[in-house]
Amino acid sequence: MVLLTLALSVTTGFVDAIGVLAMGQVFLANMAGNLVFLGFAFAGSPAFDAQLLAFSLGGFVVGVLVAGIVAGFPAARSLRHTLLVAGFVEGSILAAGAAIAVSSGVEVGDYVPRPELCAIIFLTALAMGLRTGTVRRIGFPELAPTVLTLAMSGLAPGSLSSRRSHRIICTGTMFAGALVGAVMVLRDGLATALLVAAALIVSATVMAVTHPDFPREGDG
C-alpha cells in the first residue's frame, strides 16, 4: 500500500495545482482550502469566485456519497476490486474533464464561470471525493487527498517512527506533485494536465494492487 499512498499523494498535489492555476484559484482535492476561499469570496474579494468554489465543493460531496453507495455493493467486499474500480472510474472522470476542455476551448486563465468550466471543476472534484470516500471506507485514510494535514500532524515528537517517516515522505511527494502539475499546466495546458493525472491514477492503482505485497485480506 506504500506505493499507492505515495502515488496518490503525488496526484493530489498535481490535481490541486491544476485547479488553483488553471481554474480560478479553486482547490479540487483540499476542500478545507475551498471553504477558506469561499469566505474570501463572500467578503467581496475579486480574486475568488463563489460559483466556481461551490461547484468544487458540490462535486466533492457527490463523489463521497457515490463512494458510500458503491461500498454497499456485494462486489465491493474485495479490497483489490474496490480500489481498481475506484481508480478506473476516477481516471475516466478526469479524462472526461479533459475532453470537455478540448471541445469547449477552456484553457489556463479562463476564469469566467461558464458551464464548461463549471463542469470540469465539478467532475474533477467528484473524482477526488470518490477517492476520499473509497479509501475511508476501506480503512486507509492516508490515501485520501487530505493526507497533508494528517501527515504534518504526524511530524510531532512522540509519533511512531515508521508512520512518522511515511508521513514525511507523503508530504514531500504531494509537494512534488504540485510542482510537476504546475509546470505541466503552465507549459502544456489544462487538458493535457488532466489526462496525465488520469493516467497517473490508473497506472498507480494497477501497479499497487498487482504488487506481490498487496494485502489479500477481503479478496473474494
Side-chain angles (χ1 to χ4, degrees):
M1 296 300 290
V2 174
L3 172 63
L4 188 58
T5 304
L6 298 181
L8 295 186
S9 294
V10 169
T11 58
T12 295
F14 194 101
V15 168
D16 265 340
I18 295 173
V20 172
L21 295 178
M23 300 186 192
Q25 300 194 54
V26 175
F27 282 109
L28 300 168
N30 178 15
M31 292 301 113
N34 276 341
L35 287 175
V36 173
F37 285 174
L38 193 60
F40 297 162
F42 285 163
S45 171
F48 303 93
D49 190 287
Q51 184 177 345
L52 298 181
L53 292 165
F55 270 97
S56 181
L57 288 164
F60 190 89
V61 170
V62 171
V64 172
L65 292 175
V66 169
I69 295 172
V70 173
F73 294 162
R77 299 181 190 279
S78 164
L79 174 61
R80 178 176 278 103
H81 183 270
T82 299
L83 287 175
L84 274 175
V85 170
F88 275 101
V89 171
E90 190 178 338
S92 299
I93 293 172
L94 292 176
I100 295 174
V102 171
S103 63
S104 62
V106 174
E107 259 303 346
V108 177
D110 187 1
Y111 300 158
V112 178
R114 55 182 171 132
E116 295 85 358
L117 178 59
C118 292
I120 296 170
I121 290 174
F122 183 88
L123 287 173
T124 310
L126 189 154
M128 296 295 101
L130 176 65
R131 176 197 297 183
T132 299
T134 299
V135 300
R136 293 285 179 183
R137 289 279 179 173
I138 64 177
F140 290 96
E142 289 189 333
L143 297 184
T146 52
V147 67
L148 180 58
T149 302
L150 182 64
M152 296 189 74
S153 68
L155 303 182
S159 301
L160 295 177
S161 58
S162 61
R163 179 167 293 185
R164 186 179 182 183
S165 299
H166 186 203
R167 290 177 176 175
I168 291 173
I169 295 173
C170 284
T171 304
T173 54
M174 193 175 296
F175 169 80
L179 176 61
V180 173
V183 171
M184 181 157 290
V185 166
L186 296 175
R187 186 189 66 186
D188 301 315
L190 174 58
T192 300
L194 285 172
L195 285 174
V196 170
L200 285 173
I201 290 166
V202 173
S203 59
T205 302
V206 172
M207 289 174 61
V209 301
T210 56
H211 194 278
D213 294 335
F214 185 82
R216 297 182 178 274
E217 291 82 3
D219 279 354

